[in-house]
Amino acid sequence: MLDKEISKHETSKNSLEGSSRRLFYLALPPSVYPSVCRMIRRYCMNKSNLGRWTRIVVEKPFGRDLGSAEELSSQIGELFDEPQIYRIDHYLGKESVQNLLVLRFANRFFLPLWNRDNIDNVQIVFREDFGTEGRGGYFDEYGIIRDIIQNHLLQVLCLVAMEKPVSLKPERIRDEKVKVLQSVLPIKDEEVVLGQYEGYRDDPTVPDHSNTPTFATIILLIHNERWEGVPFILKAGKALYSRKAEIRVQFKDVPGDIFKCKKQGRNEFVIRLQPSEAMYMKLMVKQPGLEMSTVQSELDLSYRQRYQGVTIPEAYERLILDTIRGDQQHFVRRDELKAAWEIFTPLLHRIDNGEMKPIPYQAGSRGPAEADELLEKAGYVQTHGYIWIPPTL
Ligand SMILES: NC(=O)C1=CN([C@@H]2O[C@H](COP(=O)(O)OP(=O)(O)OC[C@H]3O[C@@H](n4cnc5c(N)ncnc54)[C@H](OP(=O)(O)O)[C@@H]3O)[C@@H](O)[C@H]2O)C=CC1
Ligand SMILES: O=C1O[C@H](COP(=O)(O)O)[C@@H](O)[C@H](O)[C@H]1O
């Protein structure tokens, strides 16, 4: 039936039979992926030998843990070859995320600094100023780690931490991402803070005794030559005091502090993914004036100001175009997905079994105070007294 309709549409467009391209976007619950894929395979494939194609796009969640994700991958893998499968993660379509490769590998500035000798810690942060709002039932089955951290933030981590790929070919980039994921050490319970906002369980679709975290701070350590000992702090939460997603790279103190300016704060390189794309370097300068004193200032690239009149495409807009072009660079490969689940599955099972409990936090707050304490323990030094004066457009 569907095949007939598609064929009808194709012929109405004057295409030669079998000469069109078929893209199926599965915006469906993952439980039906295998049966839907089987039906596509059986009845709706492009029968052409004219070099045209059939592709499928699958949305997260790709499983709930390592076992279920692997089962899903095998079921779909029996029906479609890897080059036909596009596992979408919309963070990989964001402008500032796509810019990471260029920033890191097309600039001499960063090359010598991007390592454990200079960087003290890295934060990758996502927060929303609204709760689950009508999606409580869905969200409660997954929680913030499966919803945001295991996919979106981990993908960003890969791009921040990976080695330079030998080329820009999708497979070469994805090879490097997999290496990072495979180098992540097992997560320690004491390096995790979970939270649940007060009022979350008032949603009638959320069970009264839900143990699902709506907030998490998790420290990951990458066991390789570049990153050993550098905490990658992944923070995500719902119903917090503002909406933002950013990467904050904090550098070590300058050795031999002749200006005695250490207390004013460390150098930081911040890439704000949203809202309003920007990147800025917090750095020390001489306080303008007669005294030889220091003040923290910034080198600032605010996209809205720098690229006036330029429309930044939506993440999905780019990614769907990539599926049509057949470019898998910004999609998750099967082994990448497996390695991502390997990192989080033991922790997720401990939470699912009730062995780890979320700490309640007030909606509209910063989340549990324990998360900021963990950050400090990990070595993050908060800047006090830095004032940013927004440029005028
Ligand atoms: N181009 C632009 O648009 C620029 C904008 N700015 C703006 O200037 C302001 C200051 O910038 P910046 O110093 O980089 O960022 P912030 O002062 O917002 O945050 C700096 C760090 O301190 C943490 N933090 C904030 N409050 C607390 C707290 N009470 N306890 C513990 N940790 C805390 C933040 O954590 P968390 O991430 O969890 O909040 C973050 O890691 C921001 O609003 C920023 O957006 C600055 C430069 C350029
Ligand atoms: O995948 C998801 O992302 C959104 C946030 O996306 P953003 O592009 O606005 O940052 C989040 O609200 C949702 O819970 C999650 O499933």
Side-chain angles (χ1 to χ4, degrees), residues 257-324:
D257 178 18
I258 55 171
F259 295 104
K260 308 217 175 336
C261 60
K262 190 169 148 183
K263 281 205 196 95
Q264 286 176 301
R266 289 170 158 177
N267 288 163
E268 287 184 344
F269 178 46
V270 182
I271 302 167
R272 194 171 60 226
L273 314 181
Q274 62 193 37
S276 310
E277 292 83 354
M279 64 183 86
Y280 54 97
M281 262 176 193
K282 286 166 68 176
L283 77 180
M284 219 51 85
V285 299
K286 178 183 166 298
Q287 169 82 59
L290 292 174
E291 305 303 322
M292 183 50 106
S293 57
T294 56
V295 66
Q296 196 164 49
S297 190
E298 72 286 319
L299 292 176
D300 178 13
L301 173 58
S302 297
Y303 273 44
R304 256 215 308 249
Q305 200 197 31
R306 178 67 177 78
Y307 299 109
Q308 290 176 39
V310 175
T311 307
I312 296 180
E314 285 296 321
Y316 279 103
E317 201 177 334
R318 285 178 217 266
L319 293 176
I320 291 171
L321 182 62
D322 285 345
T323 62
I324 295 166

Side-chain angles (χ1 to χ4, degrees), residues 79-341:
L79 301 164
F80 293 95
D81 298 331
E82 187 64 24
Q84 295 176 294
I85 305 169
Y86 289 73
R87 295 178 196 85
I88 204 164
D89 181 317
H90 79 279
Y91 265 58
L92 291 177
K94 289 188 186 276
E95 181 66 38
S96 312
V97 174
Q98 296 203 341
N99 190 30
L100 284 168
L101 279 192
V102 180
L103 262 185
R104 286 200 50 209
F105 301 122
N107 290 298
R108 188 77 200 203
F109 287 139
F110 299 110
L111 292 179
L113 296 181
W114 213 254
N115 55 46
R116 64 192 295 275
D117 298 333
N118 299 290
I119 292 175
D120 191 274
N121 59 78
V122 179
Q123 288 183 61
I124 304 175
V125 182
F126 164 94
R127 63 170 179 248
E128 277 178 341
D129 53 0
F130 49 90
T132 51
E133 312 206 334
R135 290 173 73 229
Y138 157 82
F139 185 87
D140 200 70
E141 273 189 49
Y142 291 95
I144 198 76
I145 300 175
R146 291 181 176 98
D147 192 44
I148 302 288
I149 298 182
Q150 181 269 352
N151 33 66
H152 304 328
L153 300 195
L154 196 61
Q155 284 295 324
V156 172
L157 176 144
C158 286
L159 295 166
V160 171
M162 68 189 243
E163 297 301 315
K164 189 182 206 162
V166 293
S167 76
L168 288 177
K169 292 211 171 85
E171 295 321 319
R172 300 296 76 81
I173 293 171
R174 299 193 299 178
D175 289 346
E176 294 306 328
K177 287 166 72 189
V178 171
K179 285 185 208 159
V180 173
L181 295 171
Q182 289 175 339
S183 306
V184 173
L185 293 173
I187 299 169
K188 293 188 185 142
D189 287 359
E190 59 276 22
E191 302 202 322
V192 176
V193 172
L194 305 174
Q196 189 188 75
Y197 67 85
E198 288 161 358
Y200 169 69
R201 297 181 197 173
D202 296 345
D203 181 331
T205 59
V206 171
D208 291 345
H209 301 291
S210 165
N211 195 46
T212 300
T214 58
F215 173 100
T217 296
I218 301 173
I219 297 182
L220 297 187
L221 292 169
I222 301 171
H223 185 59
N224 68 16
E225 203 173 327
R226 184 182 291 275
W227 294 117
E228 185 163 321
V230 178
F232 282 75
I233 304 153
L234 307 189
K235 297 200 281 186
K238 298 225 167 230
L240 295 173
Y241 71 107
S242 71
R243 173 174 179 260
K244 107 174 165 182
E246 75 178 22
I247 304 159
R248 184 175 295 270
V249 179
Q250 185 171 72
F251 288 83
K252 290 180 191 278
D253 292 323
V254 172
D257 178 18
I258 55 171
F259 295 104
K260 308 217 175 336
C261 60
K262 190 169 148 183
K263 281 205 196 95
Q264 286 176 301
R266 289 170 158 177
N267 288 163
E268 287 184 344
F269 178 46
V270 182
I271 302 167
R272 194 171 60 226
L273 314 181
Q274 62 193 37
S276 310
E277 292 83 354
M279 64 183 86
Y280 54 97
M281 262 176 193
K282 286 166 68 176
L283 77 180
M284 219 51 85
V285 299
K286 178 183 166 298
Q287 169 82 59
L290 292 174
E291 305 303 322
M292 183 50 106
S293 57
T294 56
V295 66
Q296 196 164 49
S297 190
E298 72 286 319
L299 292 176
D300 178 13
L301 173 58
S302 297
Y303 273 44
R304 256 215 308 249
Q305 200 197 31
R306 178 67 177 78
Y307 299 109
Q308 290 176 39
V310 175
T311 307
I312 296 180
E314 285 296 321
Y316 279 103
E317 201 177 334
R318 285 178 217 266
L319 293 176
I320 291 171
L321 182 62
D322 285 345
T323 62
I324 295 166
R325 287 176 171 161
D327 182 351
Q328 288 202 319
Q329 175 177 333
H330 305 295
F331 292 82
V332 181
R333 202 167 67 186
R334 180 174 172 173
D335 54 348
E336 215 178 324
L337 176 67
K338 178 170 182 263
W341 278 118

